[in-house]
Amino acid sequence: MTLQRDDFEYAGLNSRDDLQVEMGNVVLPSAPAMAEQVTDIPAMYGNQFNGTDFTSRTISIPVSIYCADNQGAFNQIMHNLSGLLLSDDPSDNGKEYPLVFGFEPKVTYWGHITSISDPTPINPGMYDMTLTITFVQSDPRATLPQVEKPLNNGLNTITVDGTARTAPVIQVVPKRPLKYIGFNLNGGQFGLGPETPDDQANAVQPDVHVIDDPIASMAMWTNDANAISGIKTDGNYHYQGSAEINADTTVMKVAIVNGGKDFGTMPTNQLNGTWLGPTYRYTGMTNALTNYRVRAGLHHMRYSGTHNGRAMGKAQFSLLDASGNTIGRFVIGDHMQGGKTYVALQLCKPGSTFDDDDHQTLYWGYGPSGAFKNKKDGKVQIKTGTTTKTVTKTSKSKSGKVTKKSVKETVNKYVTVVNKEESDCLTNAWVFMDLTKAGNVYTWELHQYSLYDGQPYRNTNKYLIASGRWVDTNNEYESALGGFGQTFLKQPITEDIDKVLYMAPYMTLTDLQVWQHNQPQPNEPTYIANAGEEIVMDCETDTVTVNGRLVSPVWSTDYPQLKPGVNGLTMVGDLANAQMTLKYLPKLL
């Protein structure tokens, strides 16, 4: 929505349309609150100046409400105003929101509401009122629209708008494995990896790429019955149906046959809780790995609706030994009647079905509890057929005589089922598993990615972001990695028996990467990233990530800042042909 000159927008709320107020003349303060820091030293002429603290900036927004003599309308606007601008939710404490004025729509002020003054009548006896909304910025700087600029290897000249320093965020996707990366900016240095030339020359590459498969072809996958016989999952299951590649997005999914998803033949008379669907084994791995790192993504989506929400799907990516037996799995699955979706990462001994004690659970859960939504259970009637019953009908003749007659009628038969339609962050989720085995030590991460921009989420209150380390002290799970399996299962529901159309969950496998893991010695310099892994050096949050994982150590004089005007930024490292992007928010004092 385009703001009018005398409008403002706070936290996405428009002053005129949402708050139902008209903004008056806003006089922006010339500077934030300042506090001089000095020390009074005895026998010294004057004070010792220790600097100035620049604290918060306060913006007063005068607004008017016009309700003439309608007290009810005025009361409702005041309730709406308080309810929209203020919150008594403890989880909102500490949050700040953007404020944009129509008279300078490209400038954003981040802050919070501290007070709403009592209304003052414009005309005595009427409900036309004025009041003041007080907005405070804890960081007194305002921001201009974000700038994105491609970078070159070596020197880059960056001209920054605004009047305040700002933090750069640099994203790099290298074309080859990297020993180190860094940049010089305005006299400051920042980097990741071995710092000295000797350490850089002797750096060990911990992970050597063995497989980099974007899942663009089924050529390396087979569903031969003998090949998939060792792939196990929990519960009752029967492998049938087929999978295919979605050429538009390079993912493996359940194949479409005769207009429907090919989970195979569904039962026609009764349900027995058996999972049905296709399973495939990967044939592209030639050598078994004792120590390894595996990264793969699963996307699962359960559709909403009376029947869709009851559907159950299970997508499982299996780790196999050289004989094709399951030794681990990463799974996203649904519960009965539309229960919330879960994720599991487990190791197992060859032959385990995950229903026994021969497995080790690294993670089993639903993600953050704040993302769980539980609708009221709904009762769903499903027509199961017809039946004939005898009913008595009464009729009355013209003479007033009442007669009764028994007749047979055909009526519908129904069964009542439940639709819980529970949802969590995994109901529609794209999650990557990253698992490393180094001797008897397993380190792992499960990280949810955005389906819109392909970037890892950061908010642990809304999305699944989990990691851990487990030591196999008894060496029970030492099997070498020899291959993979991919399974897409659906559990039939009453709708399948009675031919009620619904949408089965959408499930895919995305991107498979495997490395041979070489365990470096303590304090031994190592490579920091493999080719194609995204590195983000964020001077705004003072963090560095590689493929979404926080990493350390970094070497730095400080986290360098861009200054207003012309800046010289020099990239260092083996960055020929790398994809590099600088992002920053110009700021105003």
Side-chain angles (χ1 to χ4, degrees), residues 420-441:
K420 294 182 178 180
E421 195 128 22
E422 298 175 355
S423 65
D424 55 24
C425 71
L426 304 171
T427 305
N428 182 12
W430 183 24
V431 180
F432 272 89
M433 172 207 73
D434 199 326
L435 174 69
T436 297
K437 177 182 181 294
N440 65 343
V441 179

Side-chain angles (χ1 to χ4, degrees), residues 308-384:
N308 301 336
R310 288 174 25 80
M312 288 176 285
K314 179 161 64 175
Q316 176 174 306
F317 175 76
S318 302
L319 307 182
L320 310 178
D321 64 13
S323 299
N325 298 307
T326 304
I327 58 172
R329 70 168 182 169
F330 162 43
V331 59
I332 305 181
D334 295 309
H335 290 300
M336 293 180 62
Q337 300 177 328
K340 57 185 178 178
T341 306
Y342 69 92
V343 159
L345 178 60
Q346 297 171 307
L347 305 173
C348 70
K349 299 175 184 177
S352 170
T353 62
F354 299 98
D355 290 321
D356 50 34
D357 293 329
D358 290 336
H359 65 272
Q360 172 67 37
T361 297
L362 304 180
Y363 180 88
W364 202 103
Y366 305 99
S369 59
F372 173 56
K373 296 179 181 178
N374 186 8
K375 291 186 178 180
K376 184 179 179 181
D377 289 359
K379 293 184 177 180
V380 181
Q381 278 197 330
I382 296 177
K383 181 181 176 181
T384 60

Side-chain angles (χ1 to χ4, degrees), residues 19-235:
L19 303 180
Q20 296 178 284
V21 300
E22 292 190 17
M23 184 178 74
N25 292 330
V26 174
V27 180
L28 295 174
S30 56
M34 293 179 282
E36 179 189 28
Q37 299 297 320
V38 297
T39 302
D40 184 11
I41 299 178
M44 176 181 175
Y45 183 78
N47 293 322
Q48 178 176 306
F49 177 59
N50 298 318
T52 301
D53 289 340
F54 293 90
T55 58
S56 60
R57 179 200 297 265
T58 300
I59 301 176
S60 298
I61 309 171
V63 299
S64 300
I65 300 172
Y66 294 99
C67 293
D69 59 350
N70 190 334
Q71 183 180 11
F74 171 76
N75 290 341
Q76 188 60 54
I77 290 174
M78 288 301 298
H79 288 311
N80 290 343
L81 193 65
S82 298
L84 291 171
L85 294 182
L86 308 177
S87 173
D88 62 353
D89 187 344
S91 65
D92 289 337
N93 290 338
K95 292 183 180 178
E96 295 197 312
Y97 299 95
L99 171 68
V100 179
F101 293 107
F103 55 77
E104 51 173 9
K106 292 185 177 181
V107 178
T108 301
Y109 300 89
W110 286 85
H112 53 281
I113 302 295
T114 59
S115 68
I116 302 173
S117 70
D118 291 337
T120 301
I122 298 174
N123 301 312
M126 305 296 283
Y127 289 94
D128 297 335
M129 304 281 182
T130 63
L131 53 87
T132 299
I133 299 172
T134 302
F135 174 85
V136 175
Q137 292 179 267
S138 56
D139 181 340
R141 294 168 295 186
T143 62
L144 294 170
Q146 178 175 287
V147 174
E148 293 190 19
K149 180 180 175 62
L151 294 176
N152 302 312
N153 194 15
L155 178 63
N156 297 265
T157 300
I158 313 296
T159 302
V160 177
D161 292 333
T163 59
R165 296 188 309 154
T166 187
V169 177
I170 298 177
Q171 293 175 291
V172 179
V173 180
K175 295 295 184 182
R176 53 185 60 83
L178 272 185
K179 296 180 179 180
Y180 70 98
I181 188 175
F183 64 91
N184 301 315
L185 173 62
N186 295 328
Q189 295 182 342
F190 177 69
L192 172 69
E195 187 174 359
T196 67
D198 286 344
D199 284 343
Q200 291 165 6
N202 297 319
V204 175
Q205 188 173 357
D207 298 317
V208 179
H209 244 126
V210 175
I211 295 173
D212 186 1
D213 190 340
I215 316 297
S217 168
M218 293 293 293
M220 293 293 181
W221 299 85
T222 179
N223 62 349
D224 177 80
N226 291 326
I228 65 174
S229 61
I231 300 175
K232 307 294 185 182
T233 187
D234 60 303

Side-chain angles (χ1 to χ4, degrees), residues 222-494:
T222 179
N223 62 349
D224 177 80
N226 291 326
I228 65 174
S229 61
I231 300 175
K232 307 294 185 182
T233 187
D234 60 303
N236 299 320
Y237 59 91
H238 178 66
Y239 296 148
Q240 60 180 27
S242 60
E244 65 183 5
I245 299 298
N246 184 334
D248 294 334
T249 55
T250 65
V251 300
M252 185 194 298
K253 65 183 184 66
V254 179
I256 302 298
V257 176
N258 297 325
K261 296 176 182 176
D262 185 21
F263 287 99
T265 304
M266 293 295 109
T268 58
N269 49 15
Q270 63 180 6
L271 304 174
N272 61 7
T274 298
W275 292 91
L276 305 172
T279 283
Y280 284 75
R281 179 177 171 183
Y282 187 75
T283 61
M285 194 164 173
T286 56
N287 295 316
L289 302 176
T290 302
N291 295 309
Y292 54 83
R293 177 186 168 201
V294 179
R295 186 174 188 269
L298 292 177
H299 176 205
H300 164 279
M301 176 171 64
R302 175 159 48 87
Y303 298 93
S304 179
T306 301
H307 302 288
N308 301 336
R310 288 174 25 80
M312 288 176 285
K314 179 161 64 175
Q316 176 174 306
F317 175 76
S318 302
L319 307 182
L320 310 178
D321 64 13
S323 299
N325 298 307
T326 304
I327 58 172
R329 70 168 182 169
F330 162 43
V331 59
I332 305 181
D334 295 309
H335 290 300
M336 293 180 62
Q337 300 177 328
K340 57 185 178 178
T341 306
Y342 69 92
V343 159
L345 178 60
Q346 297 171 307
L347 305 173
C348 70
K349 299 175 184 177
S352 170
T353 62
F354 299 98
D355 290 321
D356 50 34
D357 293 329
D358 290 336
H359 65 272
Q360 172 67 37
T361 297
L362 304 180
Y363 180 88
W364 202 103
Y366 305 99
S369 59
F372 173 56
K373 296 179 181 178
N374 186 8
K375 291 186 178 180
K376 184 179 179 181
D377 289 359
K379 293 184 177 180
V380 181
Q381 278 197 330
I382 296 177
K383 181 181 176 181
T384 60
T386 59
T387 187
T388 302
K389 70 175 184 177
T390 301
V391 297
T392 301
K393 290 193 173 184
T394 302
S395 62
K396 190 174 184 181
S397 66
K398 290 182 179 180
S399 62
K401 184 178 180 181
V402 177
T403 60
K404 295 183 179 181
K405 182 180 180 181
S406 295
V407 297
K408 291 185 177 181
E409 285 187 350
T410 299
V411 295
N412 293 329
K413 292 170 60 179
Y414 295 92
V415 63
T416 300
V417 295
V418 174
N419 179 17
K420 294 182 178 180
E421 195 128 22
E422 298 175 355
S423 65
D424 55 24
C425 71
L426 304 171
T427 305
N428 182 12
W430 183 24
V431 180
F432 272 89
M433 172 207 73
D434 199 326
L435 174 69
T436 297
K437 177 182 181 294
N440 65 343
V441 179
Y442 291 85
T443 55
W444 59 271
E445 179 179 70
L446 296 171
H447 205 131
Q448 189 170 347
Y449 274 59
S450 169
L451 293 164
Y452 302 100
D453 62 13
Q455 298 301 309
Y457 284 119
R458 300 279 185 259
N459 190 337
T460 56
N461 295 318
K462 289 186 177 181
Y463 305 104
L464 174 61
I465 304 171
S467 60
R469 179 178 181 271
W470 179 71
V471 180
D472 181 15
T473 53
N474 296 322
N475 295 315
E476 295 180 281
Y477 302 93
E478 76 280 1
S479 299
L481 178 68
F484 306 97
Q486 180 56 40
T487 302
F488 300 117
L489 300 176
K490 144 181 166 173
Q491 190 171 114
I493 55 179
T494 305

